[in-house]
Amino acid sequence: MLAAGGVLGNSGSCNSNGLGKSFGCSVFNNSCSVFNNSSNISTWRRTFAMLSFLLLVVVAWGMTGCAHAEDAQKSAIMVTDYWVSPEVLMQGDIGTVTVTVKNMEMARSVYLKEVCMLSREIEVLSKPFLNVGRLGPGESITFTFTVRATCPDGIYYPKILVETEEAETVRYSIPVQVDSTPLTISVENVPEDIFVGERTEIKLAVGNPRLNAATGVRVVAESENIVPSEVFIGELPPDEAGVISFNFTPQMMGVCVLNFRLEFRNGDNSHSMVLNVPLNVAESKKGVELVLTGIEVEATGANSFKITGDINNAGLEAARSVVMRVGTAEGVEGVHPYKAYFVGLLNPDDFSSFELHVKATGSVSEVPLVIEYKDEDGNLFSKIEYVSIGQRAVPTASSEGTHALMVVVLVAVASVVAGAIAYSWKRK
Amino acid sequence: MIEVLTNPDKFFEERLKREENLKTPAFIVLLSGMTSGAIAFLSSLMTVGILGGTLPPEAQGFISVMLVGSAVGALVFAFIIWLVVAAILFGISALFNGEGSFKRTLEFVGYGYIPLVIGGIISAALTYHFFSTVELPTVTSPEEVADAIAALMASPMMQLSSVIGMLFLLWAANLWVFGLKHARKLSIRDALITVAIPVAVYVLYSVWKLATLSSTL
């Protein structure tokens, strides 16, 4: 918020008065100096000529000063203060300009006929204040105008016009600055090596290069497996920066792009921007590595199978709460008693046997087995292994050759039977 | 004997002149029963194979008894069916004022079993071929046994076996028409209706069962 105190309604007269006083003192000092050095005639002549010139200047100034004094006596209304909120607008922002109008008369009230704001560059959304009323001696009143920064970056001077009953009009220009420089968000620190299943701290720096403070600053993580999901910074003063950190636990190898959205407010105007952080996730060198071995598939029914085997931890970290279950697929369904198998803690270089019962219908030849485990931080991981159940125990479809042979046999038998029946009726 | 297949009308007409004799028909039914017994034996063998090692040790000794029992049961059942079919045909023909003894009807129905012997041999061969090539699943509960057998019966080879059995049944029914014509002194039309009623019911039931098996797979 910008404020300006003690501003005269007519800025021109204010400046003129100040200058006049300054010149007056200068002349008086020079005159004293002249009278102290009067012994030399030539010097006196030069001094006289200079004094005459200065006298003319003083007379001219006196005439002008009298004119301004008369104007100052007429200007009973003054704009004594103003605020712009937010202090610096961004392009497209909506803000407010508040002005304080004061009646400088000590004994006479003034009727305010109209107070309005005019600007070519900045869009004024408020309507003029008409027939405001009478302003008592020494009283002041504030007017708030809503504006929209539809213009390019720069400093603009919308005018405040105050018209009184006596047709006196006071104009005052208020500087409004438009600067669309946004807040910045950048990566402060990211580890060089990022591994699957390992927590990685990502530090982000949020800076405010603007001329005014940004409020409601927060960073939202838009990608998965990031905690916390958002960090609230709050108000960020100008030319200051804040460092925040997120924990990212990748679940898959390869390049993944993390999206962070920076949100802030400039006044009542919300702004946001997105930071993309590409990361290359590699396989963990010391994490959990679960391997299935000794898989045996035994048909226990027409469509039922028992899958047994060992699950081994070939990694260097312990897998906790290991659970195996039959995955979801068309025609595949886990059945009791071992729809799922709880293995529990699986230390490095340790193994455990498992047993799963599955019902496979249709032409299913592979059964997905889902292996779920947690790390020491409680992060849940899962992987899918496919186990082939081979050729179905019950041949539901024969080969084309067998089909052809069956058709031949059927046709031959049908022909023989039909021929025999027909022949018997013919011989009847 | 071959004349019963080529010219059944003349065969039964001449047989009617002789004394009622059930030896030959009983032998034919015995042959038919043997083919049924062979198929039952193979089916029991399949069931035992499905159950695998889930049977308790004390039940293992009964497996052979179960296999022989199923074969003998099928053999005996063939004779029972012979009597039942003859009784049904005798009863229906009575509605058409049929004349003649039940023994004569039983004799001629027995001759009509000759196509069923041929069909039984073919079906047994197909069943044996199927069971010798299929990989039998093992089950742990009775419900799964039923599912497994149903799945096996729905296989194309077994369905072909059933269809062939029905074709030979139609051939046998053709012989029964001429047999009843002479044994019960019926017109050819009445004899045809008499035979067609039970045979049609059985064929329709078999077709429905085949369709049901196919849909459950």
Side-chain angles (χ1 to χ4, degrees):
Chain A
M1 181 170 64
L2 292 177
V7 178
L8 289 171
N10 192 325
S11 58
S13 65
C14 171
N15 290 336
S16 297
N17 279 332
L19 282 171
K21 286 176 182 174
S22 175
F23 272 111
C25 293
S26 176
V27 168
F28 180 74
N29 290 336
N30 287 337
S31 301
C32 292
S33 174
V34 168
F35 284 118
N36 288 336
N37 299 291
S38 58
S39 57
N40 192 314
I41 293 174
S42 59
T43 304
W44 187 87
R45 282 179 180 169
R46 284 199 300 272
T47 304
F48 180 77
M50 187 181 297
L51 195 61
S52 301
F53 172 74
L54 288 175
L55 185 62
L56 288 173
V57 172
V58 168
V59 169
W61 166 80
M63 291 176 67
T64 309
C66 288
H68 284 301
E70 287 175 7
D71 286 346
Q73 286 176 354
K74 290 178 181 175
S75 302
I77 294 302
M78 295 177 67
V79 175
T80 57
D81 205 357
Y82 72 87
W83 300 268
V84 179
S85 177
E87 298 166 21
V88 181
L89 295 167
M90 296 177 76
Q91 196 169 2
D93 278 3
I94 291 177
T96 58
V97 177
T98 303
V99 296
T100 301
V101 177
K102 188 175 182 180
N103 179 9
M104 303 303 288
E105 288 282 349
M106 299 305 292
R108 188 170 62 92
S109 62
V110 175
Y111 185 82
L112 298 182
K113 194 175 178 183
E114 181 179 356
V115 180
C116 65
M117 174 180 272
L118 298 174
S119 176
R120 290 179 182 173
E121 299 85 5
I122 290 183
E123 183 182 2
V124 179
L125 301 175
S126 299
K127 292 180 178 177
F129 295 91
L130 300 174
N131 299 319
V132 177
R134 197 164 283 281
L135 195 61
E139 289 185 347
S140 61
I141 186 172
T142 59
F143 298 92
T144 301
F145 297 91
T146 305
V147 296
R148 179 187 285 145
T150 53
C151 48
D153 289 3
I155 301 175
Y156 302 93
Y157 297 91
K159 285 184 172 59
I160 296 291
L161 268 69
V162 182
E163 187 178 348
T164 64
E165 191 179 27
E166 293 81 13
E168 178 189 2
T169 301
V170 176
R171 293 182 179 83
Y172 188 76
S173 298
I174 295 173
V176 174
Q177 188 167 359
V178 178
D179 183 0
S180 299
T181 304
L183 268 61
T184 62
I185 180 170
S186 58
V187 177
E188 174 82 5
N189 187 24
V190 171
E192 290 184 6
D193 298 321
I194 299 174
F195 301 111
V196 175
E198 291 186 11
R199 188 173 56 188
T200 303
E201 186 181 29
I202 297 172
K203 287 187 176 179
L204 302 178
V206 179
N208 184 7
R210 293 181 54 73
L211 298 171
N212 62 321
T215 58
V217 180
R218 65 173 187 160
V219 178
V220 180
E222 295 186 324
S223 302
E224 292 181 345
N225 305 317
I226 297 177
V227 287
S229 57
E230 71 171 70
V231 175
F232 184 76
I233 297 174
E235 182 174 324
L236 197 60
D239 284 334
E240 287 197 14
V243 177
I244 57 175
S245 64
F246 290 91
N247 289 323
F248 172 52
T249 308
Q251 301 290 323
M252 296 174 64
M253 283 197 305
V255 176
C256 67
V257 179
L258 304 184
N259 298 323
F260 297 95
R261 191 173 74 250
L262 169 64
E263 297 178 351
F264 64 96
R265 286 203 312 273
N266 185 38
D268 289 334
N269 306 281
S270 297
H271 298 273
S272 67
M273 53 192 301
V274 175
L275 172 68
N276 298 320
V277 182
L279 298 174
N280 189 16
V281 180
E283 191 175 6
S284 176
K285 295 173 183 173
K286 60 177 183 178
V288 175
E289 187 179 350
L290 298 178
V291 181
L292 298 182
T293 57
I295 299 293
E296 290 185 4
V297 180
E298 182 183 347
T300 58
N303 299 313
S304 303
F305 299 89
K306 181 172 76 176
I307 301 173
T308 57
D310 295 330
I311 178 170
N312 310 268
N313 186 359
L316 298 177
E317 289 183 352
R320 299 165 194 274
S321 305
V322 179
V323 176
M324 298 184 67
R325 59 181 174 82
V326 178
T328 305
E330 189 177 356
V332 176
E333 180 188 4
V335 293
H336 292 297
Y338 290 110
K339 203 172 184 177
Y341 194 91
F342 180 72
V343 178
L345 175 65
L346 208 55
N347 287 313
D349 296 333
D350 197 3
F351 76 97
S352 171
S353 59
F354 71 89
E355 179 176 343
L356 289 169
H357 290 184
V358 60
K359 187 173 185 180
T361 56
S363 58
V364 175
S365 61
E366 278 188 335
V367 173
L369 300 185
V370 179
I371 306 168
E372 294 178 338
Y373 64 94
K374 295 177 181 175
D375 64 4
E376 59 181 3
D377 297 321
N379 296 315
L380 181 65
F381 300 92
S382 67
K383 62 182 293 189
I384 298 178
E385 293 279 345
Y386 287 89
V387 173
S388 173
I389 57 175
Q391 188 178 0
R392 301 294 301 278
V394 180
T396 55
S398 303
S399 64
E400 290 184 4
T402 308
H403 270 299
L405 183 64
M406 288 167 60
V407 171
V408 169
V409 170
L410 186 62
V411 170
V413 169
S415 302
V416 169
V417 170
I421 292 173
Y423 187 74
S424 65
W425 283 86
K426 192 176 179 182
R427 295 284 299 271
K428 180 172 74 73
Chain B
M1 185 66 69
I2 196 73
E3 194 176 22
V4 70
L5 299 177
T6 55
N7 192 357
D9 191 34
K10 186 180 178 185
F11 174 81
F12 287 119
E13 187 179 0
E14 289 182 357
R15 283 285 163 181
L16 194 63
K17 297 171 185 171
R18 300 182 190 179
E19 285 290 318
E20 295 168 342
N21 186 2
L22 293 176
K23 287 181 183 176
T24 305
F27 179 72
I28 295 168
V29 173
L30 177 67
L31 290 177
S32 175
M34 286 174 68
T35 60
S36 299
I39 294 172
F41 181 84
L42 292 170
S43 300
S44 300
L45 207 60
M46 176 193 73
T47 306
V48 170
I50 291 173
L51 286 171
T54 58
L55 290 173
E58 57 269 22
Q60 297 288 336
F62 290 99
I63 291 177
S64 57
V65 176
M66 190 176 73
L67 294 175
V68 175
S70 62
V72 173
L75 185 63
V76 174
F77 193 66
F79 282 96
I80 295 172
I81 290 295
W82 178 30
L83 288 169
V84 169
V85 171
I88 290 172
L89 295 179
F90 186 83
I92 297 174
S93 62
L95 299 175
F96 297 103
N97 300 318
E99 298 174 1
S101 65
F102 178 74
K103 190 177 179 180
R104 181 65 77 183
T105 303
L106 191 64
E107 178 190 0
F108 284 6
V109 168
Y111 280 114
Y113 261 66
I114 291 176
L116 296 182
V117 173
I118 302 169
I121 291 170
I122 295 173
S123 294
L126 289 173
T127 305
Y128 175 77
H129 171 74
F130 175 67
F131 290 152
S132 61
T133 54
V134 72
E135 183 185 345
L136 296 175
T138 55
V139 296
T140 55
S141 65
E143 294 82 9
E144 291 179 349
V145 171
D147 290 342
I149 292 176
L152 286 169
M153 290 300 141
S155 66
M157 192 67 82
M158 296 306 292
Q159 288 185 346
L160 175 67
S161 175
S162 299
V163 172
I164 287 175
M166 279 189 279
L167 288 173
F168 281 98
L169 176 65
L170 292 176
W171 193 359
N174 180 61
L175 300 187
W176 291 338
V177 170
F178 291 106
L180 277 185
K181 175 190 169 189
H182 295 287
R184 298 286 287 159
K185 295 183 176 53
L186 297 174
S187 66
I188 194 71
R189 172 182 163 276
D190 292 344
L192 188 63
I193 294 171
T194 301
V195 173
I197 291 172
V199 169
V201 170
Y202 178 76
V203 168
L204 288 175
Y205 169 73
S206 299
V207 169
W208 172 78
K209 200 172 178 182
L210 277 176
T212 306
L213 277 174
S214 299
S215 63
T216 54
L217 189 65

